């Protein structure tokens, strides 16, 4: 083995890929700090207001009939308490030609279990009620409705679609709510998001928007770090003192 060549390769490759090691290790330390300083994600459990079950007058079949669809294929039916009243939350299969997700097509539809009234505004009202309850009754404002992940609500949160509500406080608190699960999916604020952005961009190269490109860069970097380690091992044996 040519120790001089190995030393030179190790020197320059080590210099090139040490930057990625520093970035990954530094952001990894931050991630451990975040797990200690930030509250865990909210549990996935039904939330919102309660309901008076004695007020229910319609059966599930009667509620589905109120939708006015011709023999809809019902996927799921939930009973939700919204504003203290019972509402049927009905999911029906979207038409085959439907390609765009909207709250009125692919999303849940709401029928009052009391009087059979159909109200498309109940989805947002239900989400707002969940958000307000999570924040201790604070007033919230809807600022977004996501059907795709973005730089703040990334794919590790898994659930779509979600509403985003802002509390308008000094911390810039915002929460994400899924009416499908009936629960909070994310809670963040200015400081939390600052730390999360550092970890996402430096540890997982989140600043590269295209996933395929990002995965390729991560693969190349890890191969480079692996080669540097192998060269270091080779250099150890190539330069060790020879036995007399």
């Amino acid at each position: 083995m040519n120790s001089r060549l190995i030393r030179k390769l190790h020197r320059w490759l080590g210099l090139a890929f040490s930057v990625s090691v520093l970035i990954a290790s530094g952001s990894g330390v931050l991630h451990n700090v975040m797990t200690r300083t930030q509250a865990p994600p909210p549990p996935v459990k039904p939330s919102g207001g309660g309901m008076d079950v004695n007020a229910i007058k319609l059966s599930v079949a009667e509620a589905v009939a109120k939708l006015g669809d011709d023999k809809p294929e019902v996927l799921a039916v939930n009973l939700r308490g919204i504003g203290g009243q019972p509402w049927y939350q009905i999911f029906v299969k979207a038409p085959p030609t439907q390609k765009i997700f909207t709250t009125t097509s692919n999303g849940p539809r709401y029928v009052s279990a009391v009087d059979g009234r159909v109200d498309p505004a109940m989805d947002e009202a239900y989400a707002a009620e969940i958000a307000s309850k999570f924040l201790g009754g604070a007033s919230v404002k809807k600022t977004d409705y996501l059907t795709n992940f973005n730089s703040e609500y990334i794919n590790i949160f898994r659930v779509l679609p979600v509403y985003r509500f802002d509390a308008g406080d000094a911390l810039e608190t915002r929460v994400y709510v899924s009416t499908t699960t009936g629960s909070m999916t994310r809670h963040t604020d200015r400081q939390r998001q600052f730390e999360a952005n550092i970890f996402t961009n430096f540890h997982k190269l989140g600043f590269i928007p295209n996933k395929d490109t990002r995965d390729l860069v991560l693969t190349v970097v890890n191969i480079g770090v692996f080669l540097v380690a192998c060269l270091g091992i080779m250099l150890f044996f190539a330069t060790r003192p020879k036995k007399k």
Side-chain angles (χ1 to χ4, degrees):
M1 291 185 291
N2 188 328
S3 61
R4 186 174 181 180
L5 176 61
I6 295 174
R7 184 180 289 108
K8 185 173 290 187
L9 285 172
H10 184 266
R11 176 184 176 87
W12 288 105
L13 287 176
L15 179 63
F17 290 104
S18 63
V19 176
S20 66
V21 174
L22 287 172
I23 291 174
S25 59
S27 57
V29 171
L30 175 62
H31 185 262
N32 285 334
V33 172
M34 289 165 58
T35 60
R36 301 288 181 177
T37 59
Q38 295 189 14
V44 179
K45 61 180 182 180
S47 188
M51 72 180 84
D52 179 11
V53 294
N54 294 315
I56 299 174
K57 305 300 181 185
L58 273 71
S59 67
V60 172
E62 290 171 331
V64 172
K66 293 291 184 180
L67 296 177
D69 295 357
D70 183 22
K71 296 181 181 179
E73 184 177 345
V74 177
L75 302 177
V77 178
N78 297 315
L79 186 61
R80 304 295 196 186
I82 307 173
Q85 295 296 314
W87 286 80
Y88 285 111
Q89 182 192 57
I90 304 172
F91 294 85
V92 299
K93 187 174 182 179
T97 56
Q98 180 68 45
K99 296 182 180 180
I100 300 176
F101 197 108
T102 67
T103 54
T104 57
S105 59
N106 310 60
R109 299 164 74 177
Y110 293 79
V111 179
S112 170
V114 178
D115 57 20
R117 175 167 51 96
V118 179
D119 191 346
M122 281 298 107
D123 196 57
E124 184 176 328
Y126 179 43
E129 196 166 305
I130 295 171
S132 179
K133 183 178 180 181
F134 179 83
L135 296 174
S139 177
V140 294
K141 178 183 178 182
K142 174 196 165 188
T143 55
D144 207 350
Y145 179 76
L146 304 179
T147 58
N148 294 293
F149 298 107
N150 59 23
S151 59
E152 178 166 299
Y153 191 79
I154 57 180
N155 58 5
I156 64 170
F157 299 108
R158 302 181 182 278
V159 180
L160 283 174
V162 290
Y163 288 90
R164 169 178 161 167
F165 290 93
D166 288 26
D169 57 5
L171 297 176
E172 298 180 13
T173 301
R174 55 262 197 192
V175 294
Y176 293 84
V177 177
S178 166
T179 55
T180 302
T181 62
S183 63
M184 291 285 309
T185 58
R186 173 130 210 251
H187 168 221
T188 189
D189 55 38
R190 181 178 60 249
Q191 180 62 32
R192 292 184 182 194
Q193 194 55 42
F194 174 73
E195 295 173 354
N197 286 342
I198 292 177
F199 179 74
T200 298
N201 287 317
F202 288 97
H203 199 81
K204 300 188 289 185
L205 306 186
F207 59 86
I208 302 175
N210 184 275
K211 185 181 185 304
D212 292 336
T213 303
R214 184 168 61 248
D215 289 346
L216 176 61
V217 172
L218 284 170
T219 301
V220 171
V221 167
N222 281 284
I223 290 175
V225 173
F226 178 80
L227 287 176
V228 170
C230 289
L231 288 170
I233 295 172
M234 293 172 63
L235 190 61
F236 171 82
F237 287 103
T239 58
R240 63 179 178 173
K242 298 185 182 295
K243 293 181 179 181
K244 295 182 180 180

